[in-house]
Amino acid sequence: MPNTAAPIFSLKSEYRNIFILDSIEWWEDATYDPALDLVLTYDFGLKHKIHALRGEVYYIDHLIDQATMQENNFLVTDFLKNWHYDANGKDIFTYKNIPFGFSLRLDIWNDLVSYTRLSLCLAQLKNISFDALYLGSDDIRINTILNRYGFDVQPSSKLASKAVFYFPIAQWLDEKIRSTGLRGGLVRLREIVTAIYGYTLPIIDALIPKSKSQRSIFIQEYHPTRKLIEILKKDPALRIVLVNFTRGSKLLDHRFERLIPISGSLNAFDLYASDRLSAFRENRHASLILTNGDNLTEAIYTIIESRIESRISPILRTLHSVIRYLDKHPIQLEILIANMGLTATLVDCVCKARGIPSYLIINGMLTREFMDEAKYATYINAYSPSIKEHYFRNMKDIVCLGDPRMDNYPPLKSLRVINRTSPTITIGTSGFNPIDLNSYVAVEFEFLYDVLSALQKMINTLAPMEIIIKVRPNGYEKQYSDFVATFFPDLRVQLISTASMKSVLDKTDLYITIYSQTLFEASCLGIPAIYYKKDAEIMYPPFDGTSELVTVGSVDDLVQAFVDFQSDDTRYNAFLDRTVMERYIGPLDGNNMQRNIDFVYELLEKDGQNQ
């Protein structure tokens, strides 16, 4: 007997009308009766409006309890691991004996999770009687799911252009990983420049004899590895291979970088791409059946096909280029920050097939039991004993060498002076997590509304303060300026989006944010920190609600936490203790980078002995 998904809220058994509307842009007052109707939306703004009318309204993507969503998180992850295998466990997507199906996960991950999330939530409507269902949405998945469940839908029209308050995940993904227009042109231009440089430098290397042979390392560039690259590329005994030029380097320093040129005609791979897609249709084997018994397998495969059909040829071209480069210029070690990213993942596919060792330095804290975004490498730096124990389940070849970025926060020479009478309070914005079913796209605005409401209460009791909102790198600052203007027009707030986190923390007395490594950064600077839990995600310590980190989940509790901050209450002391923080984030002695460098040379020496 399948488990029945439990709703978070007690929905009535009967309504007159149900309105499913993306946002307030689709809202029409004339046909709505707050006593009889139900509204489902993505938009904080529309939800707030319906509450003001004393109507019943919920988020369309946040209707199911934590435990049920967490069970389905594991099912989705299992499907993601296996969707590209046949019944014999062989990767259907293989080129020149290199399995590459794993590299396609970034293209489908959000689609897989979001379709599952919506299916679980919309299935709740099957238990409700109603006269009419009105749909106003640009999200075709909603209509597809409603049709699959057999609902008759009355279309609604978008009425006006207004500010909406939820994270536009589809727009963001198109901007960042499916670039078109000007950004797409710039990406193609960078590809051309990279290819020219990648072909030219090996020719120059061959013309200039080296006093001794060099060992080659491929490094995936991101925050944990940027300084590592800068240090290693200055060693004349090493050749550093990258996907693109490093960011922030001096122009002349790029001469130490070797890039993998991606080139060739896409048309040359179309026939083989078509062959692999046909083989996928015939031989795919994995299935996705949710805890409520709903079989999403064919619906998900339809989505996957539509997403990857145009992607296989470009990926084959990239893989072909990687194989060609590594055939001519072998590497002895690869350094990763995650099992994600297209070209880096394809390099990893080739390395795994050829037995080349890999070292993965995790990119921030890994806090979810069902995730596997950083579990596939020969050796892994888990930062800390806590992450090794919880996320990695004490897997072998896990080392705890710390996060190189935390070297920016060495032990304080003197206690930080905290202004508790008229403090500067920094709010690190929340964010939607597209790969956790328990997340929802309006969470960042639910979070901010509560935090600003609590601070407004304190200001009203004559507690003066300066407020900074630090917008996360993938946030949209315009949404935040609109949000403050709409809901807190009398509150003086400074919005910051591009400044570094450390520069913002340097002028902060109290820091409030979500589950974030920046909580540790604040604490290392002696700044009291609060985790305001508006999210519904289930996480490992210290984000589990029972650890040393001050964690609150309501406006009243946040007000009390602020009162305790003003009185220098001891509840903040534990998470300001560096020995406590080190259990979760790893060493804070300022030597993490050196430990990682030493380990890289140790791995190179081990590889040399094995040859």
Side-chain angles (χ1 to χ4, degrees), residues 261-548:
I262 309 301
S263 64
S265 169
L266 287 175
N267 294 337
F269 299 95
D270 285 347
L271 186 61
Y272 189 71
S274 178
D275 174 76
R276 288 302 84 203
L277 195 60
S278 296
F280 173 63
R281 293 188 182 107
E282 295 174 8
N283 300 305
R284 60 197 185 196
H285 182 69
S287 61
L288 178 59
I289 302 174
L290 306 182
T291 55
N292 63 3
D294 199 358
N295 189 338
L296 298 190
T297 305
E298 290 309 312
I300 290 295
Y301 276 134
T302 299
I303 294 171
I304 290 175
E305 280 189 42
S306 66
R307 185 63 76 186
I308 69 172
E309 186 173 13
S310 62
R311 293 285 298 140
I312 300 176
S313 289
I315 288 172
L316 284 170
R317 184 185 68 159
T318 302
L319 178 56
H320 181 82
S321 299
V322 169
I323 294 170
R324 179 179 58 203
Y325 183 88
L326 296 184
D327 283 343
K328 293 180 179 179
H329 312 287
I331 62 174
Q332 284 72 50
L333 176 68
E334 65 165 340
I335 301 176
L336 305 172
I337 58 94
N339 300 121
M340 297 172 66
L342 177 58
T343 305
T345 302
L346 290 171
V347 172
D348 186 46
C349 290
V350 177
C351 288
K352 281 182 168 58
R354 296 182 177 182
I356 299 169
S358 56
Y359 174 46
L360 192 152
I361 304 172
I362 64 173
N363 180 37
M365 299 189 68
L366 304 173
T367 58
R368 290 166 182 79
E369 184 180 2
F370 63 89
M371 288 294 295
D372 70 337
E373 75 273 45
K375 288 186 175 178
Y376 308 111
T378 316
Y379 305 96
I380 301 174
N381 173 12
Y383 293 171
S384 71
S386 178
I387 297 175
K388 177 180 179 179
E389 174 190 351
H390 291 101
Y391 180 84
F392 290 104
R393 298 294 181 183
N394 291 315
M395 288 165 46
K396 67 175 184 177
D397 296 319
I398 304 293
V399 294
C400 298
L401 305 181
D403 181 353
R405 292 168 295 181
M406 295 306 293
D407 288 350
N408 293 323
Y409 302 90
L412 297 174
K413 295 180 180 179
S414 59
L415 289 177
R416 185 185 183 96
V417 177
I418 299 294
N419 184 342
R420 299 181 188 274
T421 55
S422 55
T424 296
I425 299 177
T426 295
I427 305 166
T429 57
S430 180
F432 171 59
N433 183 349
I435 53 180
D436 190 328
L437 292 172
N438 269 313
S439 191
Y440 55 105
V441 291
V443 64
E444 60 192 288
F445 298 106
E446 284 283 343
F447 167 89
L448 188 59
Y449 187 84
D450 278 10
V451 175
L452 291 181
S453 295
L455 298 184
Q456 183 73 74
K457 283 187 176 183
M458 295 306 301
I459 291 172
N460 291 343
T461 61
L462 303 180
M465 65 183 71
E466 297 290 330
I467 302 173
I468 296 172
I469 296 176
K470 176 64 172 74
V471 181
R472 67 188 187 282
N474 67 336
Y476 291 89
E477 185 175 347
K478 179 65 164 57
Q479 281 190 305
Y480 283 92
S481 61
D482 288 342
F483 185 85
V484 174
T486 301
F487 299 107
F488 299 92
D490 299 325
L491 200 61
R492 292 182 57 189
V493 171
Q494 181 184 4
L495 284 173
I496 298 177
S497 59
T498 57
S500 70
M501 194 69 234
K502 190 172 187 301
S503 68
V504 176
L505 290 175
D506 281 339
K507 48 191 174 185
T508 298
D509 296 298
L510 176 65
Y511 184 53
I512 305 170
T513 191
I514 58 165
Y515 53 87
S516 170
Q517 188 165 321
T518 57
L519 288 161
F520 290 90
E521 296 175 31
S523 291
C524 283
L525 294 172
I527 301 167
I530 299 171
Y531 167 28
Y532 186 69
K533 186 171 177 58
K534 196 64 178 182
D535 63 272
E537 296 162 63
I538 298 171
M539 287 172 287
Y540 292 132
F543 306 121
D544 58 348
T546 63
S547 301
E548 298 88 347

Side-chain angles (χ1 to χ4, degrees), residues 548-561:
E548 298 88 347
L549 174 62
V550 175
T551 303
V552 295
S554 70
V555 171
D556 288 343
D557 287 344
L558 187 54
V559 169
Q560 183 59 52

